[in-house]
């Protein structure tokens, strides 16, 4: 079996359809929006996939020079998005995904390492990434790269269309 080379390169606009395809394929098990749909049923326009794909589009538009793509051979295998805040010195990784066909090859780790190096070279002092409790891969991978837990957050939601009356202020 031939092992194809993995390369990391800057995002190009022509990558976007592949990023969206990977997003729709792999984010379900770690999607807050899917959690809410499971609990409350459908809401808004579209579903969790369309909302998550919209977030990826926004990442690519907000700081396209901070989006990186992993290639296996010539195929887009995964991506990572970053946001840099020069004032705070914090670099944030909003999204990281690797297509299921390419998982367990170290691609996520390579993307994370690349993003952290990019943030360091861009003058950031802190790198941050978030994950849900239900993400066993992230909970193992992020500390392996050097990230340390600093806080736990609980996401609450309520369906507003089920309320019979307005909540008293």
């Amino acid at each position: 079996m031939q092992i194809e080379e993995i390369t990391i390169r800057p995002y190009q606009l022509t990558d976007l359809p592949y990023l969206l395809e990977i997003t729709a394929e792999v984010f379900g098990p770690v999607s807050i929006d899917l959690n809410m749909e499971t609990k409350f049923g459908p809401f808004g326009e579209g579903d969790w996939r369309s909302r998550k794909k919209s977030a990826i589009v926004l990442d690519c538009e907000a700081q396209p020079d901070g989006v990186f793509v992993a290639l296996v051979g010539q195929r887009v295998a995964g991506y990572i998005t970053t946001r840099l805040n020069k004032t705070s010195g914090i670099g944030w990784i909003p999204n990281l995904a690797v297509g299921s066909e390419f998982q367990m090859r170290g691609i996520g780790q390579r993307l994370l390492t690349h993003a952290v190096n990019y943030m360091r070279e861009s003058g950031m002092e802190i790198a941050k990434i978030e994950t849900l409790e239900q993400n066993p891969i992230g909970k193992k991978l992020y500390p392996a790269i050097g990230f340390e837990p600093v806080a736990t957050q609980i996401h609450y939601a309520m369906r507003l269309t089920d309320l019979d009356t307005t909540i008293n202020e």
Side-chain angles (χ1 to χ4, degrees), residues 18-144:
Y18 302 104
L19 274 55
L20 299 180
E21 182 180 317
I22 292 168
T23 299
E25 176 196 4
V26 302
F27 263 103
V30 294
S31 169
I32 294 172
D33 279 48
L34 179 56
N35 288 0
M36 290 188 294
E37 284 180 13
T38 301
K39 178 119 180 128
F40 301 116
F43 58 90
E45 294 182 20
D47 64 358
W48 73 267
R49 285 176 188 85
S50 61
R51 288 186 289 277
K52 188 63 180 177
K53 290 189 318 188
S54 293
I56 302 309
V57 170
L58 290 174
D59 283 353
C60 292
E61 290 173 348
Q63 290 188 333
D65 57 334
V67 178
F68 303 98
V69 174
L71 300 175
V72 173
Q74 297 300 312
R75 297 176 61 203
V76 174
Y79 68 90
I80 192 163
T81 67
T82 66
R83 302 276 182 102
L84 305 180
N85 185 319
K86 303 259 185 202
T87 303
S88 69
I90 298 172
W92 174 41
I93 299 169
N95 289 290
L96 165 65
V98 175
S100 59
E101 172 184 354
F102 299 103
Q103 292 179 359
M104 306 309 292
R105 297 189 194 182
I107 294 171
Q109 183 170 352
R110 294 266 310 271
L111 284 163
L112 270 171
T113 301
H114 188 88
V116 167
N117 287 335
Y118 163 75
M119 287 186 247
R120 182 181 296 115
E121 291 164 7
S122 298
M124 297 299 100
E125 297 176 51
I126 298 286
K128 75 173 186 172
I129 190 167
E130 303 161 4
T131 194
L132 297 179
E133 179 66 30
Q134 68 205 42
N135 182 352
I137 294 170
K139 288 171 41 182
K140 182 178 177 185
L141 177 59
Y142 305 155

